[in-house]
Amino acid sequence: MNRKQRLRRKKWKKKLNKLTPYIIILGFVLTLCFTQFFQLLYVNQKEAYDKHVKQETILSSIFDFSTAGDIVDVVMNLQKYFAEIMTSLDLNQLCSFINDGFAFINMKAPSQSATAATPPQDYKYTYVSEELDVEPMQEVITTDPLVYIFNSHDGELYEGGAVNEQLGRPVSVVDLSYMVAEQLQSQNINTLVESRSAAEVVSKNKWHYSLSYKASRMYLEDTASQHETLRYFIDFHRDSISYEKSVTTIDGKPYAKVMFVLGTDNERYKENQKIIQELEALLSEKYPGLSRGIRENGGVGYNGVYNQDFATTMILIEVGSDYNTYEEVTNSAQAVADVLTTYIKAHE
């Protein structure tokens, strides 16, 4: 190797050394993205498999064809199977997964709000928002509220987002919140429903959709600091599963199925788990077949907190899915309110 070659080699070595940190970062980002993509792909694959496995066997006769048409059938079935997996991939959810992955490595401790009021220690409220500079809630008529209902994803709609003939607009999870609140009020359980929109906070601040829980947390803390009588905090959502999996019939009435979500990435996981297990057991006892159980979420790719670190009585409930009807949602709202009433009266 002559001197010119050695100099050229040395020059490339220096360039490579400078690029090494960027290569490592790029490798990490790509790994994270692919990890979240395949995790989401697996979820959709399982959904498609569960749906089709009861309808037709795709691969059982792959080595036992009696006619040429059998080969075509297998190919067509495989095509439909993988097409469903890919078309059901939610890119917004993928972005949320990736964003949560980055948040997972953010080890900076959240700051404590020095101005927030300190509610009774029995419920162990925790304030983490850096500031509570939020618009005031609309006039509160309810005095001494016990229950606070809100929606971190207040834009979630039912009936496929179509205009409901009875309401003259689409039905949303906000409607569900008011339905439950009305039932609780009829049982003398004072309830507040959040009138401010978490989605508007996300939009105004140009935040990613995954920060919806940060937006609703600000309203959650603001409301709790002003109403020391609050004991129960409920965040209503709807899921995105197929209609067939989200509906059931009980005593001739159609219901949107109900699922409880428990974040496992917060220090109050076990305390939250206790109240959620009791509520799920009550729902299953009073309305057999209505509950989809408890889904525990945590680790990379999941929120894992859902603001359940705020209080031991912070509950996240998913009612139905995209295409559940107004009637199904209304029936489920009454059932959920009935179970909440039973639980609250037994513990107050």
Side-chain angles (χ1 to χ4, degrees), residues 227-245:
H227 300 278
E228 294 188 1
T229 56
L230 286 173
R231 294 290 179 271
Y232 301 93
F233 308 87
I234 307 171
D235 188 2
F236 279 112
H237 293 252
R238 65 115 174 96
D239 208 346
S240 298
I241 58 172
S242 65
Y243 176 74
E244 292 75 17
K245 291 183 178 181

Side-chain angles (χ1 to χ4, degrees), residues 90-126:
D90 185 344
L91 294 181
N92 288 330
Q93 186 180 2
L94 175 60
C95 291
S96 178
F97 275 14
I98 293 170
N99 187 80
D100 287 344
F102 281 114
F104 179 75
I105 62 169
N106 181 10
M107 305 304 291
K108 183 180 178 181
S111 60
Q112 300 294 320
S113 173
T115 59
T118 305
Q121 288 301 310
D122 291 347
Y123 293 85
K124 303 179 182 177
Y125 299 170
T126 298

Side-chain angles (χ1 to χ4, degrees), residues 152-224:
S152 292
H153 295 153
D154 49 288
E156 291 180 330
L157 302 176
Y158 293 106
E159 298 184 337
V163 174
N164 179 269
E165 293 183 4
Q166 186 171 344
L167 297 179
R169 56 173 174 75
V171 185
S172 74
V173 289
V174 177
D175 295 301
L176 167 68
S177 295
Y178 280 103
M179 292 175 193
V180 175
E182 184 179 1
Q183 294 295 316
L184 292 176
Q185 286 288 161
S186 69
Q187 296 298 318
N188 298 316
I189 297 175
N190 291 341
T191 305
L192 272 181
V193 178
E194 181 55 67
S195 59
R196 298 165 292 188
S197 171
E200 286 185 9
V201 175
V202 171
S203 177
K204 287 179 180 178
N205 287 280
K206 297 182 179 179
W207 290 347
H208 188 274
Y209 183 71
S210 62
L211 295 180
S212 298
Y213 290 96
K214 177 180 178 180
S216 63
R217 179 61 169 252
M218 294 173 68
Y219 290 150
L220 171 63
E221 294 182 7
D222 178 54
T223 305

